Amino acid sequence: MALLQCFFGRPSQKLLNFTSQNSPILYRYIKERFFSMTRNDLYKNTQVVSASWYLHVGLKGITSSCNTKRKNALLFNQQNQCHLTTKSTLPQVPLFLHAERNKERPAIIDREGRLNYGDILHHSMNLAVDILKLYSATDSMKLNGERIALLSEPNAAYVVGMYASWICNSISVPLHTSHPASEWEYFLSDSQCSLILVTHTLLDKISPVAEKLGIPVKVISREVIGEPYEKNRWFQPDHASNPKKVRKQYESRKQRWFDSPAEQVMQKPALIVYTSGTTGRPKGVVLTHGNLSSMVNGMHTSWGWSTQDVILCVLPLHHVHGLVNVVLTSLASGAVCVMEPKFDAPSVWNLLTAPVVKNLDRNINLFMAVPTVYIKLMEHFKENVEAKEDVMSATFIKRSLSQNIRLMVCGSAAMPGSASTKWQEISGHHLLERYGMSEIGMALSNPLHGKRVPGSVGTPLPDVEVQIVKPNVYSPLGYDVIAQGDSRRTVVTKGCEGEQGELLVKGPSVFKEYWNKPEETLKTFTKDGWFKTGDTAKYEDGAYFIVGRTSVDVIKNGGYKISALGVEQHLLEHPDIVECAVVGLPDITWGQRVAVIIVLKSGTSMELPDLRSWALERMPPYQIPTVLKIIESIPRNAMGKVNKKELVRDFFPEALEK
């Protein structure tokens, strides 16, 4: 039994069904041991026996080939083969509850000061009670999945607003501060929000929209959140007659909806994030508490998060990258999140190279951003260090980043190879590239330690399965598998080596549904339950590569399938090109022509013959653009992504008329 207690886990419903049919005694034990457990039990018994282990023992006997070290659990694949996977040490609970384990630790540092995890819980509980009063629900202390919008600058008020919404059992709908009123109106109407949480500074902007839609507004203040208090509201009973006798212990507080069995709690919707709109009108992606927990656990394990980490956040928080990867993962891990109101290159350079962070005795050691951020940092470096031949500053920057920062991650869009190489020269860091999207969180990643294949997105994270498939109308499932893999290995179908196809994903992090769009939800899954990412991928050299969007970034020209991203990477090697976007234009002869939109360096010019002459030495002739458009800047959304359908519509309207 001592050996068995080295394993941590919780049985899935599938395993429970299997044991009920094959081993009634084992079924009763698992049912009593696990499904009667509340969150209290999970925290008090952090070493419990994995149901997968019991299943293995009950049906197969102990297999000597399986490692029995702690933090590993036995799992079964579809062929009932036993293999190992590293398990995260984070309990499977709603993310805000991780703060209870770290209440004395620093949690957030913003321009207004510092808050510990206990402070976050206290102020979140205060706001939650105020929200419940608005709904006349203080007796039950919970709502029924009402949608509550959140509009706040990236600071502690944002986290308190989201945590308070979750404490009330509502669904948080984050809005972006820079979106126009028409976008806010669409998101609020589509998600059917019944309340808007907004900071003072944004109240005037959102008020006309709120009045038009008839949605009440609740103002949250960062200044109030920073005020001192005597008793932590989170750890007190609601009607404590003698506060001095109230124990500030987790066990003493009143039971809430989130103290129910984990199986019920984790299925509840927590968040609606809207897609970038690169494939049409933004859709509301519904993520459950279980989805968010799985996303965080995958990154916590794979990227080595700990309570000693300090991460800098300069990303917007209405998408998964900034919200989940940076803020929620750091807070679930007991780390410190330094929140800046917006990206500013000089400020970021100062923070990344500072020996300690203000209000903290540690330096920043984690940074995650989109390619645009890294490129702007390099532009600032070039103008202020390289142009002045400041060797001393360049040496200081490289030494500081190499010694103090343990990991730098890039994602949300493809990083040009030349830019990645340049960043490594400046910082000493080989950027870790990964792949994810709103519907699935992070699915693939290059390794924290070990070889990172240039241009690839690595391999699947723990508990994530992927497939690369190609259409086949004669197949019962409608497709044939090119390659299939998980965090342990990938198997390529014989004869399909090097082939491209659509990337499919399956796992506990995959979203629940598109809000109020059942038909759209159904279309995005295969018959056997795989999520269709819409991205074209290939597997080679032991890693996965994203070729581009299936319908947008794969250009079909004269029988060739051309990766728009690959063409862009080549063109960005040109010394005069700052940015570019490659699109396919309809052509009666070739199917599609390769067109490029380019932003040039100041003071330079370019004609199509010049570009083609330069490209002939670097690219196959069929990949070289035949159409050139030069503009001042390429439109991007808040996450740095380019909507190529809009580019074609705005810059090549004549192509759509043909």
Side-chain angles (χ1 to χ4, degrees):
M1 183 58 70
L3 177 64
L4 300 183
Q5 288 179 341
C6 292
F7 296 90
F8 174 78
R10 183 177 176 84
S12 66
Q13 189 63 45
K14 183 176 180 181
L15 287 174
L16 193 65
N17 294 340
F18 187 89
T19 54
S20 68
Q21 298 171 10
N22 294 274
S23 180
I25 296 176
L26 186 58
Y27 168 78
R28 286 196 298 272
Y29 181 89
I30 294 175
K31 185 74 174 178
E32 294 173 2
R33 181 68 179 86
F34 289 88
F35 286 88
S36 61
M37 289 176 67
T38 64
R39 189 171 55 82
N40 293 14
D41 301 318
L42 283 173
Y43 270 119
K44 293 175 183 177
N45 301 284
T46 55
Q47 296 180 27
V48 295
V49 185
S50 167
S52 300
W53 172 268
Y54 276 117
L55 179 60
H56 189 60
V57 172
L59 302 179
K60 296 276 188 178
I62 298 177
T63 303
S64 60
S65 62
C66 292
N67 195 336
T68 58
K69 291 183 179 180
R70 188 180 177 185
K71 296 183 182 178
N72 289 316
L74 292 170
L75 299 177
F76 286 87
N77 60 16
Q78 293 179 348
Q79 290 75 36
N80 290 327
Q81 294 174 330
C82 175
H83 63 81
L84 290 167
T85 183
T86 302
K87 298 296 287 184
S88 171
T89 56
L90 294 178
Q92 292 287 323
V93 296
L95 296 181
F96 64 92
L97 292 172
H98 291 292
E100 291 183 326
R101 298 179 294 115
N102 301 289
K103 55 182 180 291
E104 302 301 330
R105 294 181 179 275
I108 294 173
I109 293 176
D110 57 20
R111 293 289 179 91
E112 302 299 324
R114 161 178 158 173
L115 272 76
N116 291 348
Y117 283 93
D119 301 328
I120 298 294
L121 287 173
H122 169 76
H123 294 293
S124 298
M125 189 64 186
N126 275 343
L127 179 57
V129 172
D130 289 344
I131 293 172
L132 290 165
K133 288 178 181 177
L134 296 175
Y135 289 89
S136 301
T138 51
D139 291 337
S140 63
M141 285 301 291
K142 69 174 183 178
L143 302 178
N144 189 30
E146 281 80 0
R147 276 71 60 206
I148 297 180
L150 175 61
L151 182 61
S152 167
E153 299 84 355
N155 57 32
Y158 188 100
V159 176
V160 168
M162 183 163 287
Y163 278 18
S165 298
W166 288 343
I167 291 169
C168 295
N169 189 32
S170 67
I171 304 172
S172 183
V173 184
L175 304 176
H176 187 32
T177 56
S178 67
H179 276 165
S182 59
E183 285 290 280
W184 287 341
E185 183 176 344
Y186 169 75
F187 295 144
L188 292 168
S189 300
D190 185 72
S191 60
Q192 300 168 312
C193 284
S194 57
L195 180 66
I196 301 172
L197 300 178
V198 60
T199 53
H200 284 288
T201 52
L202 295 165
L203 179 60
D204 291 341
K205 292 183 178 180
I206 195 68
S207 291
V209 179
E211 291 175 5
K212 180 180 179 180
L213 299 176
I215 303 175
V217 172
K218 169 69 178 174
V219 177
I220 53 179
S221 170
R222 175 62 183 90
E223 290 73 21
V224 172
I225 290 173
E227 293 178 354
Y229 54 90
E230 292 184 5
K231 299 292 182 180
N232 192 313
R233 184 74 175 272
W234 177 260
F235 296 101
Q236 294 185 50
D238 293 334
H239 306 291
S241 58
N242 188 351
K244 292 183 179 180
K245 295 182 179 180
V246 175
R247 294 172 54 213
K248 291 185 179 181
Q249 300 296 326
Y250 156 72
E251 292 84 1
S252 68
R253 66 170 175 77
K254 183 178 178 180
Q255 297 291 289
R256 309 291 185 198
W257 69 268
F258 41 78
D259 293 304
S260 301
E263 185 184 45
Q264 301 173 19
V265 172
M266 303 308 279
Q267 292 178 355
K268 291 183 178 292
L271 197 65
I272 296 179
V273 291
Y274 278 84
T275 60
S276 301
T278 54
T279 58
R281 197 69 167 130
K283 298 183 287 289
V285 177
V286 180
L287 298 172
T288 66
H289 287 285
N291 292 148
L292 293 175
S293 181
S294 295
M295 292 177 184
V296 166
N297 275 326
M299 290 179 284
H300 175 87
T301 301
S302 299
W303 296 346
W305 279 90
S306 77
T307 56
Q308 298 305 306
D309 283 323
V310 182
I311 191 167
L312 174 61
C313 178
V314 296
L315 296 172
L317 302 182
H318 66 299
H319 276 303
V320 166
H321 193 173
L323 177 57
V324 180
N325 296 20
V326 178
V327 176
L328 295 181
T329 300
S330 64
L331 297 182
S333 302
V336 180
C337 185
V338 179
M339 305 180 77
E340 283 289 285
K342 62 179 181 179
F343 170 73
D344 175 70
S347 298
V348 171
W349 273 121
N350 288 336
L351 287 165
L352 292 178
T353 56
V356 293
V357 176
K358 185 179 179 181
N359 296 316
L360 191 69
D361 58 353
R362 285 175 277 163
N363 59 273
I364 290 167
N365 71 338
L366 269 168
F367 186 60
M368 301 181 188
V370 297
T372 304
V373 167
Y374 286 107
I375 290 171
K376 288 186 178 297
L377 287 173
M378 286 187 282
E379 289 175 353
H380 185 271
F381 178 88
K382 182 176 181 180
E383 294 171 2
N384 294 275
V385 178
E386 284 186 346
K388 299 177 181 179
E389 298 183 352
D390 189 347
V391 178
M392 185 176 295
S393 293
T395 303
F396 167 75
I397 288 172
K398 188 169 186 177
R399 182 186 297 118
S400 297
L401 269 58
S402 298
Q403 294 178 353
N404 296 337
I405 297 183
R406 71 173 185 85
L407 177 63
M408 289 185 152
V409 181
C410 182
S412 292
M415 183 73 164
S418 57
S420 183
T421 301
K422 181 63 176 178
W423 182 257
Q424 190 168 2
E425 293 175 2
I426 294 173
S427 68
H429 277 271
H430 184 179
L431 291 173
L432 185 150
E433 294 190 74
R434 84 299 179 280
Y435 170 83
M437 55 197 307
S438 303
E439 290 89 341
I440 60 175
M442 295 305 103
L444 300 115
S445 171
N446 274 280
L448 176 62
H449 305 293
K451 182 181 179 182
R452 298 174 188 171
V453 181
S456 84
V457 291
T459 55
L461 291 176
D463 298 326
V464 175
E465 297 177 76
V466 300
Q467 286 187 148
I468 299 175
V469 303
K470 55 185 176 182
N472 181 357
V473 295
Y474 300 106
S475 169
L477 298 175
Y479 64 81
D480 289 334
V481 176
I482 297 172
Q484 182 171 356
D486 54 24
S487 59
R488 293 176 60 253
R489 63 179 180 179
T490 290
V491 177
V492 180
T493 302
K494 189 175 182 180
C496 295
E497 294 82 359
E499 284 193 36
Q500 300 177 6
E502 184 176 9
L503 182 68
L504 309 183
V505 177
K506 182 184 284 187
S509 63
V510 176
F511 77 124
K512 177 182 175 67
E513 62 186 347
Y514 291 121
W515 178 257
N516 275 349
K517 290 180 173 58
E519 293 183 0
E520 292 284 345
T521 303
L522 189 62
K523 288 179 183 177
T524 199
F525 285 91
T526 63
K527 295 178 181 178
D528 53 340
W530 290 80
F531 172 70
K532 297 185 285 188
T533 65
D535 285 323
T536 299
K538 63 179 180 179
Y539 180 81
E540 62 182 24
D541 298 328
Y544 289 81
F545 292 78
I546 302 300
V547 179
R549 292 296 294 176
T550 300
S551 58
V552 178
D553 281 326
V554 176
I555 300 172
K556 298 179 180 179
N557 176 275
Y560 291 103
K561 287 185 178 180
I562 302 170
S563 167
L565 298 183
V567 176
E568 289 169 2
Q569 289 174 352
H570 281 297
L571 296 180
L572 286 170
E573 303 293 337
H574 193 289
D576 294 337
I577 296 177
V578 177
E579 288 185 284
C580 70
V582 172
V583 296
L585 302 181
D587 186 271
I588 193 170
T589 302
W590 299 98
Q592 286 181 300
R593 288 179 293 161
V594 181
V596 62
I597 300 171
I598 284 176
V599 176
L600 292 173
K601 286 184 179 179
S602 178
T604 63
S605 62
M606 181 181 294
E607 299 292 337
L608 181 60
D610 300 327
L611 176 64
R612 289 182 58 81
S613 176
W614 175 88
L616 273 172
E617 300 178 3
R618 297 163 176 82
M619 302 163 58
Y622 61 86
Q623 291 186 3
I624 299 175
T626 58
V627 180
L628 170 65
K629 179 82 70 174
I630 297 175
I631 61 176
E632 292 185 359
S633 65
I634 295 177
R636 296 177 182 270
N637 66 16
M639 291 303 295
K641 293 185 178 181
V642 175
N643 188 320
K644 292 193 173 181
K645 290 184 178 180
E646 291 184 359
L647 288 184
V648 173
R649 182 195 66 198
D650 295 341
F651 295 103
F652 304 104
E654 67 282 357
L656 299 178
E657 297 173 359
K658 295 181 179 180

